[in-house]
Amino acid sequence: MPRTPVNPPSNPELDAMLAKALSKETAAGPADETSEHIDEAPDVDPAEQRCGFVAIVGKPNVGKSTLLNALVGQKVSITSRKAQTTRHRITGMRTLGPTQFIFVDTPGFQTRHGNALNRALNKTVLGAVSDVDLILFVVEAGHFNLADAKVLSLLPANVPVILLANKFDLVHRRGDLAPWLRSMQERHPFAEFVPMSAKTAKDIERLFGICEKFLPQQPWMHDPDDLTDRSERFMASEMVREKLFRLTGDELPYTSTVIIDKFEEEGSLKRIAATIVVEREGHKGMVIGEGGEKLKRIGTEARQELEKLWDCKVFLELWVKVRSGWADDDARVRSFGYE
């Protein structure tokens, strides 16, 4: 006798979340990297202000830094295709209407290698999620693997978590996502589902409205015009490292880093000297390139990006040094600025 199919028990709350997440009004449209106008902060009565911390977490290379930059409205976190591009806790701020959002971008949690650098990065992730008001757990829409599961297992139970299904514009059939979202809710009691694309301005605007209700009513912690708490010296180091990774591709190990040796201001000119640290002599030649062309291009592109960021002239001088095994040395990792 054929068995009668058993339908899963009805869950009205989950059904409502799914309907809201997958409605035509809220689903992501075509990717559009042009930003739409969002009203910045007007004069607001302090009694009406909201302010809170939002951590952005996920495995390496899932789009966290791209999301942070879109939310802040300016580049404050570097991006590249190389895993582990973000190595520090990067804080970006955006004040809209009565609400100040303090976003915390984190390194992707590392499970493959247990060296000193990765231990420092994982400590940064755990520290970032321990004292926030909201967590955005970023995954690629329709996908979930062991690396995602490892990050999810680290999230505290007492902080609301939004499942941010990024790259939703690449999902061909919206209906295919509903079973996946149901399975994700079995893994963790998410407060909301947000299928979106970090490159779509309307999705970013919608995300602000979703995050706002989770933030407490309290005075702002930063000036409404502030975009990041990171210093210009730090941003210079990060911009050189981004160009280094982008222009060397997968040939150069992720352990390469950048140290700022000099940062001086002369009126509207900033003079910067930086050292690119690699682990092997062969890597040094790879960074310098034939006739120094690769190093020159890294410097030129980093300088142009910094001039755009700061709206001033920049003189940037780069050197390359070999420091074998630095990523396995706890003391050297700390000396290079990794907590």
Side-chain angles (χ1 to χ4, degrees), residues 146-180:
L146 288 175
D148 296 304
K150 177 64 176 177
V151 179
L152 187 59
S153 71
L154 299 171
L155 302 187
N158 61 334
V159 179
V161 181
I162 288 176
L163 175 64
L164 196 153
N166 196 23
K167 305 180 184 179
F168 183 55
D169 51 309
L170 303 181
V171 175
H172 298 298
R173 293 191 299 179
R174 187 177 300 129
D176 292 345
L177 207 62
W180 178 77

Side-chain angles (χ1 to χ4, degrees), residues 307-323:
E307 289 180 338
K308 179 181 176 183
L309 179 66
W310 295 330
D311 192 26
C312 71
K313 294 296 293 182
V314 173
F315 177 81
L316 176 62
E317 189 176 21
L318 296 181
W319 306 89
V320 186
K321 293 182 180 178
V322 179
R323 293 289 182 269

Side-chain angles (χ1 to χ4, degrees), residues 23-149:
S23 68
K24 291 182 179 179
E25 288 74 21
T26 59
D32 176 11
E33 300 204 29
T34 60
S35 60
E36 293 194 359
H37 175 73
I38 303 176
D39 288 337
E40 301 294 334
D43 292 331
V44 176
D45 184 340
E48 298 176 358
Q49 292 178 352
R50 286 180 178 270
C51 181
F53 289 88
V54 182
I56 302 172
V57 302
K59 68 182 180 184
N61 258 10
V62 79
K64 300 183 298 297
S65 296
T66 299
L67 176 65
L68 175 66
N69 292 337
L71 288 165
V72 172
Q74 181 174 302
K75 187 171 189 174
V76 295
S77 188
I78 65 172
T79 61
S80 82
R81 293 183 179 180
K82 186 181 288 290
Q84 217 180 33
T85 300
T86 299
R87 291 188 182 164
H88 302 266
R89 171 174 169 153
I90 311 292
T91 302
M93 285 84 80
R94 188 75 176 272
T95 305
L96 300 172
T99 304
Q100 185 169 88
F101 303 84
I102 305 175
F103 296 103
V104 182
D105 186 20
T106 61
F109 195 86
Q110 303 298 315
T111 58
R112 289 188 176 184
H113 309 289
N115 62 19
L117 176 59
N118 280 348
R119 289 195 297 272
L121 302 187
N122 288 348
K123 185 178 178 182
T124 298
V125 178
L126 294 174
V129 300
S130 62
D131 190 24
V132 295
D133 300 289
L134 177 66
I135 295 172
L136 300 181
F137 176 55
V138 185
V139 295
E140 189 173 337
H143 299 272
F144 188 85
N145 61 22
L146 288 175
D148 296 304

Side-chain angles (χ1 to χ4, degrees), residues 4-15:
T4 303
V6 178
N7 293 322
S10 176
N11 183 333
E13 185 176 347
L14 177 57
D15 290 342

